[in-house]
Amino acid sequence: MFDKLTERLQGVVDGLRGKGRLTDDNIADTLRQVRMALLEADVALPVVKSLIESIKASLVGTEFDKAFTPGQILVRSIHQELVRVLGEGVRPINLRAQPPVVILLAGLQGAGKTTTAGKLAKYLKEKEKKRVLLASTDVYRPAAILQLERLAAQLEVGFKSSDPKQSPVRLAQEALAEARSALYDVLIIDTAGRLHIDDEMMKEVQLIASTVSPLETLFVVDSMAGQDAVNAAKAFGEALELTGVILTKADGDARGGAALSVRQVTGKPILFIGVGEKTEALEVFHPERIASRILGMGDVLSLVEDVSRQVDIRQAEKLAAKLKQGKEFDFNDLHEQLQQLEKMGGLSAMMDKLPAKLASKAAQGQMPNDREITRQIAIIRSMTSRERRFPKLLDASRKRRIAAGSGVPVSEINKLLKSFMEMQKMMKLMSNGGMGKLMRTFAGRMPKLF
Amino acid sequence: MFGFKKSTADQNATAEQARPGFLARLRTKLNRGSSWLTKGLIDLLPGGKIGDEVLDELEMRLISADVGVETTERILSGLRKKVARSELADLDALLAALRASLIEILQPFARPLHIDTSKHPFVMLVIGVNGAGKTTTIGKLARRMLDQKFKVVLAAGDTFRAAAVEQLQVWGERNGVPVIAQATGADPAAVVFDACQSAQARGAHVMIADTAGRLHTQSNLMDELKKVKRVIGRIDPTAPHEVLLVLDASQGQNALQQARLFHQAMGVTGLVITKLDGTAKGGIVFSLADQLKLPIRFIGIGEGVEDFDVFDAENFVDALLKPVEA
């Protein structure tokens, strides 16, 4: 999401390199370029101004060690400033209160509140082992309540059904009563999307908040939001006692300036970011990583965290044990791995976290794309279980059958077979199993990349 | 034979026209009663001369309205040249030049949608990122078409998001418009294919297909969309006749990127810009027109059916520049 800003800032830095020394003139010029880059990134103008001011303040009067290039000094200053602004007060979600803990989500139309409510419910259920009740107070958008109900059923968390003829405040009250009597740990209340300049609707959400006294009141904001995000955040911050922010749709290519703006205007920490279509695509917010990503250092740490959460540990151990016994890595194992990769939101979700340079290399076709993974899974599924265990069986006739079964040309099967052989060889080289080894297998799938 | 006769006089094509009263609403909603672009500018003109101060202020206001750095620079450089040639004597002259330059950007792309009634049906595919307002837009579009005595069929092509099908169905029931749907999780191409056939069988004039919201960077989901388009083409090689991209005006410069990638994948033929009633001020409209050069069909300025209308360049610029008359 932050690639574009990264690109711009890299451009600025490249322009500086080799100049040797910062002069007043080229500071002004560089800062103007940074200003434009940030504005293009949808960072709100007042925020850009204050950011530029503090960067300037940190640059002027500083003696530069000649070991650094002016570009490095600049990057360091911007990075420090981004980390400072983004990271102030970042903390885990607060659940330390007598249950049921109430979490209220509010924001503009289309920010992604309902989807986020579902993702948050899944996160709290799986990571925090909480019993979660979802409730909707959106009586306006057709089928909004039903959307949350479907999500709740899919995630196997509690759902308080809401009658759209009731007032939203009443619905919130009923949900709280239900959460209390049924002994839920957490109640997540979804609200209707509203414009921050709609006084009546803002009063309504205020009333909901004062009725259920949430421990967390979270402002949900689209990472693609423009200059006005700053006004929306301000208005929601004034109407509600916000405790935090959730940034949604961060898996796109938005420059993500809204994150900076909202953070600075509300003064509240960004707790989570939404990074994909699937219900598990919600991540804890890491300011250092995002700031690093802005500067092109990539976000390899987030990637590691992803892999360790999603990869089924039992399966990993099974594979490790198997390899230990001297058995060969076979197509059943590859099948499992491909499926896990798919579960993590596919390669594109992982790619997003790699440093810009690696990612662009990968985009040039040195890596299988998500479609290829699906195709490879299809190929493996068209094999008999004997073939999966003993790939050497695959002769021309079998390959033709598999090709027909999975709807790909035989050449695709040969391609898969070839990379499978490489993987098998690598697996043999690994003496012991364990998570680290398994992860390297992913890396092994992209040999040119790492 | 299918009952394609319409009650309107024009049998071949119907140009959408802005409704009376919309301009007034546009002014109220876009400006919240006063012009963000011109308010208080006079205070920056000590002695009435146009100087850097007022131009810098304009630049800042345009950027704060999501006009974008590039387009803002384009507007400003024109004005600066005129100032340098001493062509702009006072604020009125400056504002007139600003108005002309803003209209010049928008005018070529204010092209209303033409429903070609020789198509059976006229197929519209509505696409966009998550939360842009696709389904709501379809509701309002269908309403307009009904008012123009068109027979409309809707296709519930968002089979991904929970309850998206129901959202469209609720709307269809309220307005007596058939909604062709399958269960959540069904292949959207299959749903839309069905809907096309059904629309033909019912003798519908217009078929509007909803699709699931998707980020333009998700190549697999963009491929899915391409498939929907291909499948429509099997029923009528000239279809879809309109690929409408819905963009949320409260989004910033990423809207440009969205439009570029959606256009690349799908060949967008028209834009709908929604949610202009925030305080976002609508600057992104200029950025889009200046840099994408795609026709802007409709704009949305609120939740009501009356808050949705044809895009008119002059009206839009005037709504920005002139405060609401007391």
Side-chain angles (χ1 to χ4, degrees), chain A residues 26-309:
Chain A
N26 73 12
I27 283 185
D29 186 45
T30 306
L31 286 181
R32 183 179 160 76
Q33 287 183 53
V34 171
R35 178 169 173 262
M36 285 302 162
L38 292 172
L39 285 173
E40 283 279 86
D42 294 323
V43 181
L45 190 62
V47 177
V48 172
K49 281 185 174 166
S50 80
L51 197 70
I52 295 286
E53 280 311 307
S54 41
I55 289 172
K56 214 174 180 175
S58 74
L59 279 182
V60 168
T62 315
E63 297 245 325
F64 294 129
D65 188 331
K66 287 216 169 149
F68 297 103
T69 65
Q72 283 170 324
I73 302 290
L74 181 66
V75 167
R76 198 179 57 188
S77 304
I78 296 172
H79 181 257
Q80 282 168 350
E81 202 46 35
L82 291 183
V83 171
R84 194 185 68 77
V85 174
L86 286 168
E88 259 171 328
V90 166
R91 56 172 175 83
I93 190 161
N94 184 5
L95 301 168
R96 285 185 307 270
Q98 194 181 349
V101 168
V102 179
I103 300 173
L104 184 69
L105 302 179
L108 300 173
Q109 287 97 338
K113 288 174 296 303
T114 307
T115 303
T116 301
K119 288 178 176 179
L120 194 56
K122 183 182 169 81
Y123 177 89
L124 293 175
K125 180 188 170 202
E126 291 182 359
K127 295 275 270 198
E128 305 282 343
K129 308 286 175 226
K130 298 293 182 191
R131 281 192 74 217
V132 181
L133 180 67
L134 281 170
S136 173
T137 59
D138 186 353
V139 298
Y140 309 100
R141 181 164 62 91
I145 298 172
L146 187 64
Q147 184 187 350
L148 195 65
E149 182 173 1
R150 292 273 163 82
L151 279 168
Q154 185 194 330
L155 300 170
E156 296 175 338
V157 300
F159 175 75
K160 170 76 177 86
S161 65
S162 306
D163 176 0
K165 289 186 193 74
Q166 292 284 357
S167 82
V169 176
R170 173 81 180 274
L171 291 173
Q173 258 166 352
E174 284 175 4
L176 183 57
E178 165 91 10
R180 279 193 184 125
S181 66
L183 303 176
Y184 280 97
D185 299 318
V186 180
L187 166 64
I188 301 176
I189 299 182
D190 184 22
T191 61
R194 64 202 70 222
L195 266 181
H196 50 292
I197 47 173
D198 186 335
D199 294 337
E200 214 170 295
M201 289 295 282
M202 290 306 279
K203 271 188 200 126
E204 180 204 279
V205 75
Q206 237 168 352
L207 208 55
I208 293 175
S210 61
T211 307
V212 298
S213 11
L215 190 62
E216 292 273 21
T217 305
L218 305 176
F219 179 54
V220 180
V221 60
D222 187 333
S223 61
M224 294 179 283
Q227 292 284 328
D228 197 44
V230 89
N231 297 324
K234 205 183 283 166
F236 273 92
E238 280 161 10
L240 297 168
E241 284 179 38
L242 293 180
T243 56
V245 174
I246 297 182
L247 193 64
T248 63
K249 305 179 213 170
D251 51 327
D253 59 357
R255 300 168 185 189
L260 270 173
S261 307
V262 169
R263 169 66 195 85
Q264 216 175 33
V265 165
T266 60
K268 300 302 171 198
I270 301 169
L271 301 187
F272 293 100
I273 62 174
V275 290
E277 297 267 308
K278 296 183 180 169
T279 47
E280 59 262 35
L282 183 75
E283 293 180 355
V284 171
F285 180 72
H286 295 287
E288 295 84 2
R289 291 178 191 167
I290 298 281
S292 298
R293 190 150 66 173
I294 290 172
L295 296 172
M297 296 176 196
D299 199 1
V300 179
L301 277 171
S302 281
L303 185 70
V304 170
E305 194 178 64
D306 248 22
V307 173
S308 57
R309 191 189 331 163

Side-chain angles (χ1 to χ4, degrees), chain B residues 50 55 58 62 70-88 93-94 96-102 104-105:
Chain B
I50 307 289
L55 290 172
L58 262 184
L62 288 170
E70 214 168 303
T71 304
T72 299
E73 291 298 293
R74 198 188 130 185
I75 296 167
L76 259 293
S77 73
L79 294 179
R80 286 205 168 97
K81 270 180 209 152
K82 288 201 170 100
V83 170
R85 291 197 296 262
S86 309
E87 285 173 24
L88 306 176
L94 175 69
L98 178 63
R99 179 177 185 271
S101 128
L102 293 177
E104 188 194 319
I105 292 175

